């Protein structure tokens, strides 16, 4: 930055010149500090994103073993009546194992057979069951099926397990590596986009664990939160800002709302446990209760933001409407609230984004349980995205590390989406001046 | 309100009669026992140094002081013989009959059309869309704005120039067919040309409305008003024919003010 020179013809004394130089120096220093702060923040962000993406990307694809499975009628449906109950209770695992054994007829001995079976995920029975349920005609046929590999095999194939490591320290033994090599030579090892992650609920087996259940849980919970806190928040803000008299009592309310916004979220969880679960007897682990607890937490945020937005509407607009005989309620609903809407919506979405990332209060009301089924309604047991991430981060299996990071990516994705929505809504409403 | 009814009320010439009006902001008294009559179909100007209570008095006439926390009005204000300071009077209904134009032009952030149509809509004054269109047009015509905006009725009112905005606000006020229009320094934010237009307009509007205008410009008071009231420190010092007030004031405070010795 060049230092500007004094305009020609302007006499400057030495003292003045020194003063001006000092001023420019301090300005330059300030700018440098500011730029430095931004660079630091961006570096941190880049580090965070890189570390999450680099560990999490591998959860988005999954290895399977492509084997000829014989849908043996004797195993699936011995009496040939195609009774759904019989079909459901059949031993599909044995079919998958038979298919694998057919590839390696030479494997003998209980230990080796157990090791061979270990290449396949425990979830293959469900995989085959679903195929049969979808089309019972396949019973009796011999079809190539891509059977999900176990998490250790998947980790090995993704290169996370080093084959040069000493065998005793390796999760995948020499014989297993040999089988996998043989299968790979036959092009029977396939890597594909892991649809399960986006379509299923949690599981004890990392290769079967999906994020969809937590996503639906978060959605239902936030739906309840929004449904409660948005109308209540707006009503409270409008009443306090436009109708309530200014006195000691309303001052106390105002102070308390501000305090409430700073209360640690776990306290709301305890409150929810004591009031909603123990006193009112609402279901545990349910999005209904989770949503109610998070609504308590987001209400202060929404009220404070809405009041600020209402306050920012110029008084001249109120006077104009009052002056032609609008009632107080008409002034608010026709003029003030529409003008305050961008601010109200921004506050609401910020509150929702906070609620989306909240874990602690939900632990208190049992949303931390291990839940396999995708919730179908607001009273079904459910978990939410951040809690699911927490649960996976706590699991010992190696493959859960990637799932954890993948979950974080999904959560961050939703946060970015919500913020984009906030910007979009602001723009939309502001276009009406 | 039918015209016939209005004539029945015209037993006295005064449209608005204020008696012993005092106003308090909390403990502080801003207006002291003001007695003032506002003539029918004429322009009354309120003048006086800043802070003397002109706006405060004006806001008593449509009870806009109601919305100020801690503001208390005592005394009596009668519009067409009806006491309006009674608790039983609906301030919202009153403001339909006593309209107001503010110091700073304050159109709604809506289209020009909606600005005018808003009043008739909330008071249910129009039978149908055509009726409403007609009301919008006649209000804009009366405010001398129709020619300038008829092509752009759907554009925002906030996009007009300052003078046009103020005339839009006047059109908005007359759209609900009030009897009285209160104007609080309507030209103080405008340039001389826009001011001249508004003054001309005020003179025309006098035929249909009773007008009270607060102004800090004595020339303006002299130009547009028939009667002038001079306020000083919350007291109504002197009121009379505008010409007399400016040529032959009785009170020496009035004389001091109009000759520019204070203000
Ligand atoms: N909202 C208010 N709260 C407290 N005091 C006020 C308020 N409005 C006006 N006042 C006081 O009342 C007096 C008269 O004010 P105002 O009527 O606005 O004077 P003017 O319009 O003649 O300049 C002033 O002393 C002013 O400080
Ligand atoms: Mg004033």
């Amino acid at each position: 930055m060049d230092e500007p020179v004094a305009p020609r013809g302007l006499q400057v004394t030495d003292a003045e010149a020194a003063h001006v130089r000092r001023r420019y120096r301090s300005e330059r220093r300030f700018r440098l500090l500011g730029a430095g702060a931004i660079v630091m923040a961006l570096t941190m962000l880049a580090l965070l994103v890189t570390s999450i993406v680099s560990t999490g990307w591998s959860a988005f694809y999954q290895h399977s073993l492509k084997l000829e499975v014989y849908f043996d009628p004797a195993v699936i449906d011995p009496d040939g009546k195609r009774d759904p109950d019989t079909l459901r209770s059949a031993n599909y695992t044995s079919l998958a194992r038979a298919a694998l054994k057919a590839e390696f007829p030479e494997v003998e001995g209980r230990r080796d057979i157990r090791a061979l079976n270990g290449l396949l995920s425990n979830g293959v029975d469900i995989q085959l069951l679903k195929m049969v349920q979808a089309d019972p005609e396949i019973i009796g046929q011999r079809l190539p099926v891509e059977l999900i590999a176990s998490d250790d095999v998947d980790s090995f194939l993704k290169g996370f397990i080093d084959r040069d490591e000493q065998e005793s320290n390796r999760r995948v033994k020499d014989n297993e590596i040999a089988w996998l090599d043989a299968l790979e030579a036959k092009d029977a090892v396939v890597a594909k986009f892991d649809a399960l992650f986006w379509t299923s609920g949690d599981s004890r087996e990392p290769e079967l664990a999906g994020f969809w259940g937590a996503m639906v849980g978060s959605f239902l919970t936030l739906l309840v939160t929004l449904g409660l806190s948005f109308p209540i928040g707006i009503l409270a803000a409008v009443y306090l800002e436009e109708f309530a008299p200014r006195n000691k009592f309303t001052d106390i309310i105002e102070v308390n709302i501000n305090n409430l916004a700073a209360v640690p979220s776990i306290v709301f969880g305890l409150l929810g446990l004591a009031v909603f679960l123990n006193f009112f007897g609402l279901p545990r682990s349910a999005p209904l209760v989770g949503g109610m607890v998070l609504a308590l937490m987001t209400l202060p945020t929404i009220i404070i933001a809405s009041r600020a937005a209402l306050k920012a509407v110029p008084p001249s607009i109120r006077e104009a409407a009052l002056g032609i005989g609008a009632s107080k309620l008409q002034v608010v609903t026709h003029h003030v609230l529409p003008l305050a809407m961008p601010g109200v919506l921004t506050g609401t979405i910020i509150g929702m984004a906070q609620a989306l990332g909240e874990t602690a209060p939900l632990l208190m009301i049992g949303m931390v349980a291990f839940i396999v089924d995708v919730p179908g309604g607001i009273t079904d047991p459910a978990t939410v995205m951040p809690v699911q991430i927490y649960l996976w981060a706590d699991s010992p299996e190696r493959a859960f590390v990637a799932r954890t990071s993948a979950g974080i990516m999904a959560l961050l994705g939703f946060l970015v989406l919500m913020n984009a929505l906030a910007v979009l809504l602001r723009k939309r409403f502001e276009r009406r001046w | 309100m039918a015209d016939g009814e209005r004539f029945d009320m015209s037993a006295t010439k005064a449209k608005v009669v204020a008696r012993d009006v005092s106003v308090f902001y909390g403990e502080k008294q801003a207006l002291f026992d003001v007695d003032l009559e506002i003539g029918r179909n004429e322009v009354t100007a309120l003048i006086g140094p800043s802070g003397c209570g002109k706006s405060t008095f004006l806001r008593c006439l449509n009870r806009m002081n109601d919305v100020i926390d801690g503001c208390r009005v005592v005394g009596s204000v009668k519009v067409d013989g009806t006491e309006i300071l009674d608790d039983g009077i609906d301030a919202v209904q009153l403001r339909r009959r006593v309209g107001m134009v503010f110091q700073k032009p304050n159109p709604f952030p809506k289209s020009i059309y909606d600005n005018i149509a808003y009043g008739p809509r909330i008071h249910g004054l129009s039978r149908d869309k055509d009726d409403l269109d007609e009301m919008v047009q006649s209000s804009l015509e009366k405010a001398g704005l129709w020619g300038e905006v008829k092509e752009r009725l759907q554009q925002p009112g906030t996009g007009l120039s300052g003078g046009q905005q103020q005339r839009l606000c006047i059109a908005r006020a007359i759209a609900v067919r009030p009897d009285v229009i209160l104007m609080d320094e309507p030209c103080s934010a405008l340039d001389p040309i826009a001011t001249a237009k508004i003054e001309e307009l005020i003179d025309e509007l006098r035929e249909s409305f009773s007008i009270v205008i607060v102004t800090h410009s004595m020339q303006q008071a002299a130009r547009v008003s028939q009667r002038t009231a001079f306020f000083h420190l919350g007291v109504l010092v002197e009121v009379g024919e505008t010409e007399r007030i400016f040529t032959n004031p009785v009170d020496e405070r009035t004389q001091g003010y109009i000759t520019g010795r204070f203000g």
Side-chain angles (χ1 to χ4, degrees), chain B residues 25 28 30 48-57 68-69 184-185 214:
Chain B
Y25 290 108
K28 184 173 165 262
S50 167
C52 66
K54 306 177 298 284
S55 300
T56 302
F57 178 75
I68 298 175
D69 267 340
D184 194 349
E185 305 194 23
V214 170

Side-chain angles (χ1 to χ4, degrees), chain A residues 105-375:
Chain A
E106 72 285 1
V107 178
E108 292 291 346
R110 271 188 56 186
R111 264 178 96 190
D112 282 357
I113 297 239
R114 166 115 41 95
L116 183 64
N117 291 341
L119 295 185
L120 291 173
S121 161
N122 285 343
V124 290
D125 53 345
I126 310 226
Q127 207 185 347
L128 295 177
L129 165 65
K130 280 197 181 139
M131 287 179 72
V132 169
Q133 280 175 334
D135 180 16
E137 290 300 302
I138 63 174
I139 296 173
Q141 293 182 25
R142 197 177 287 279
L143 297 169
V145 181
E146 287 169 8
L147 294 164
I148 305 169
S150 76
D151 55 328
D152 284 337
V153 169
D154 190 48
S155 294
F156 172 75
L157 292 170
K158 282 172 180 166
F160 297 134
I161 294 174
D162 186 3
R163 62 165 75 209
D164 297 331
E165 183 118 4
Q166 248 190 345
E167 187 179 15
S168 55
N169 291 342
R170 215 188 309 120
R171 299 269 306 162
V172 183
K173 305 299 178 199
D174 286 344
N175 52 355
E176 292 169 301
I177 292 178
W179 295 324
L180 289 173
D181 286 346
L183 286 171
E184 214 153 13
K186 282 190 253 178
D187 275 339
V189 175
V190 285
K192 273 208 177 139
F193 172 70
D194 185 8
L196 264 186
F197 184 78
W198 300 106
T199 54
S200 68
D202 197 9
S203 168
R204 293 279 182 226
E205 310 293 337
E207 72 275 15
L208 302 177
F211 208 50
W212 179 240
M215 279 156 62
V216 173
S218 274
F219 175 75
L220 293 172
T221 306
L222 283 192
L223 213 63
V224 174
T225 306
L226 184 69
L228 288 173
S229 61
F230 186 63
I232 297 178
I234 288 195
L235 282 176
V238 166
Y239 181 76
L240 283 174
E241 200 52 47
E242 305 286 332
F243 293 95
R246 297 263 176 279
N247 55 31
K248 276 238 165 57
F249 184 64
T250 44
D251 281 351
I252 291 176
I253 291 182
E254 174 154 10
V255 168
N256 276 305
I257 288 176
N258 291 343
N259 283 339
L260 225 50
V263 166
S265 55
I266 193 148
V267 175
F268 291 106
L270 286 166
L271 182 83
L273 176 65
V275 176
F276 300 144
L277 295 189
N278 295 346
F279 187 75
F280 287 110
L282 293 173
R284 263 181 176 278
S285 312
L288 174 65
V289 180
M292 285 161 79
V293 167
L294 292 179
L296 288 178
M297 209 194 76
T298 44
L299 257 179
T301 311
I302 294 183
I303 293 177
I304 291 170
S306 303
R307 287 189 67 178
L310 289 169
K311 231 185 230 134
V313 175
S316 62
I317 296 294
R318 288 165 231 255
E319 284 184 338
L322 285 172
I324 46 172
S327 71
K328 226 165 164 180
L329 185 63
Q330 285 172 329
V331 173
V332 171
T333 53
H334 296 170
H335 301 282
V336 179
L337 203 51
L339 288 174
M341 222 39 180
V344 172
L345 288 177
T346 309
T348 305
I349 292 179
I350 288 173
M352 288 293 122
Q354 271 174 5
L356 181 67
E358 200 55 67
T359 327
L362 302 179
L363 303 184
M364 302 312 300
I365 55 156
M367 288 189 89
V368 72
F370 171 70
I371 288 147
V372 176
D373 292 322
V374 175

Side-chain angles (χ1 to χ4, degrees), chain A residues 244-246 314-328 330-331 334-335 338-339 432-433, chain B residues 59 64 67 69 92 95-96 98-100 102 104 106-111 118-119 122-123 156 172-173 176:
Chain A
R246 297 263 176 279
S316 62
I317 296 294
R318 288 165 231 255
E319 284 184 338
L322 285 172
I324 46 172
S327 71
K328 226 165 164 180
Q330 285 172 329
V331 173
H334 296 170
H335 301 282
L339 288 174
R432 295 161 47 189
W433 328 293
Chain B
R59 296 164 67 94
M64 279 295 269
V67 296
D69 267 340
V92 170
R95 289 184 203 131
R96 215 220 89 193
V98 183
M100 191 157 194
F102 298 84
K104 215 178 122 250
N106 55 355
F108 297 130
K110 296 174 186 288
S111 70
Y118 181 70
I122 59 171
H123 293 296
R172 179 177 66 189
V176 294

